[in-house]
Amino acid sequence: KMSGGLVSALLVISLIIINSYGIFLYFTESPAFLPLLFFYFSAILSAYFYCKFKRKSRFVPVSISLIFVLMMFFQGWNDWNHFANYGTFSGRVHYRLPAKLEARDENQNLISSDNFTGKVVLLDFWHTRCGICFTKFPQLESVYDKYRGNQSVLIYAVDRPIEEDEREYPFEVVKNKGYSFPVAIVNDVDVLDNLGVSVYPTTMVIDRVGNIVFFGDIENAIPVLDAISK
């Protein structure tokens, strides 16, 4: 017996309550949850318009929602997650390295961003508690195999040290998994915050003059590396 407007309002209020935690995350941490909210509210709006109006205009919200769903189904969801995690849809950026990066390899040799000039560099930031980092390692290994003999391309898996880890553990765990790409442990974890690395894994590509030209996931980093290393 309630009007369509009141029913819709009650549904919206209910959804806000049910998804309050996701809304909180959207405003405080990540916008990754936003498309789901759009799905919920567009469904209510579409139903309201369909029941309220008898003209063809009642199909407009349904059509818009359907287009949005199709976009998200194909590539939109990946692009949105990339934006939520890394701040850009494509990962392609262009700015100077904002902080000096220093790390140590397995032999305690210093790896410094001061020595990156004239080389194309791919850095894959990870840590030993990051499960998804290990799922991306086969792609990193493939890239390393491709450029293994190219002296103008540097590739490192840069570990963020975990307090509980022994010093050699990041090197050992990568070797035990059968990977051969070089690993380095960052000297100062604060520099990672200065570089904007807050999500793991994060892949960064630096060009020959010291500009960061990619910041995001390794899938989208590989074409950028291929393009600028020619």
Side-chain angles (χ1 to χ4, degrees):
K1 296 181 180 180
M2 292 186 294
S3 66
L6 181 57
V7 172
S8 299
L10 291 174
L11 286 173
V12 168
I13 293 172
S14 300
L15 282 174
I16 291 175
I17 295 173
I18 293 171
N19 296 286
S20 56
Y21 181 66
I23 296 171
F24 170 77
L25 291 179
Y26 166 68
F27 285 106
T28 59
E29 296 183 17
S30 170
F33 193 74
L34 187 60
L36 291 178
L37 291 178
F38 180 86
F39 289 151
Y40 295 148
F41 296 133
S42 64
I44 296 173
L45 184 64
S46 299
Y48 175 75
F49 266 70
Y50 185 84
C51 295
K52 183 70 174 179
F53 301 101
K54 300 302 180 183
R55 294 173 296 179
K56 293 182 179 180
S57 59
R58 64 178 177 168
F59 294 104
V60 172
V62 178
S63 302
I64 294 175
S65 299
L66 181 60
I67 293 172
F68 182 77
V69 168
L70 291 174
M71 289 175 56
M72 296 302 289
F73 178 77
F74 286 99
Q75 183 61 31
W77 192 261
N78 291 332
D79 291 343
W80 182 261
N81 280 330
H82 198 280
F83 173 77
N85 289 326
Y86 306 111
T88 64
F89 289 105
S90 67
R92 294 176 183 266
V93 295
H94 194 275
Y95 58 90
R96 299 293 296 179
L97 197 66
K100 181 179 179 179
L101 175 65
E102 291 186 340
R104 297 278 178 178
D105 66 12
E106 187 175 11
N107 298 317
Q108 292 302 297
N109 296 316
L110 178 65
I111 299 166
S112 173
S113 56
D114 291 340
N115 301 323
F116 289 169
T117 303
K119 300 181 182 296
V120 176
V121 183
L122 184 146
L123 304 175
D124 186 68
F125 297 96
W126 69 291
H127 61 78
T128 58
R129 301 298 188 271
C130 172
I132 193 172
C133 295
F134 288 90
T135 67
K136 302 290 185 178
F137 278 170
Q139 296 173 74
L140 183 62
E141 180 74 5
S142 178
V143 174
Y144 178 67
D145 285 341
K146 180 178 181 179
Y147 291 98
R148 186 189 296 265
N150 191 333
Q151 299 298 316
S152 65
V153 177
L154 300 177
I155 296 175
Y156 289 101
V158 182
D159 173 70
R160 180 188 182 105
I162 303 296
E163 185 176 352
E164 295 80 7
D165 289 348
E166 296 183 3
R167 187 176 65 86
E168 297 298 323
Y169 181 68
F171 305 110
E172 293 174 354
V173 72
V174 170
K175 281 185 178 180
N176 291 338
K177 294 289 184 180
Y179 301 119
S180 59
F181 51 77
V183 176
I185 301 178
V186 68
N187 288 348
D188 182 5
V189 295
D190 290 338
V191 75
L192 299 179
D193 297 328
N194 295 333
L195 292 174
V197 179
S198 59
V199 175
Y200 294 88
T202 291
T203 304
M204 179 185 296
V205 178
I206 305 172
D207 66 13
R208 289 183 172 87
V209 295
N211 292 316
I212 299 174
V213 294
F214 180 86
F215 188 88
D217 58 28
I218 192 168
E219 291 86 354
N220 291 311
I222 295 173
V224 176
L225 178 69
D226 291 340
I228 68 174
S229 60
K230 293 179 180 179

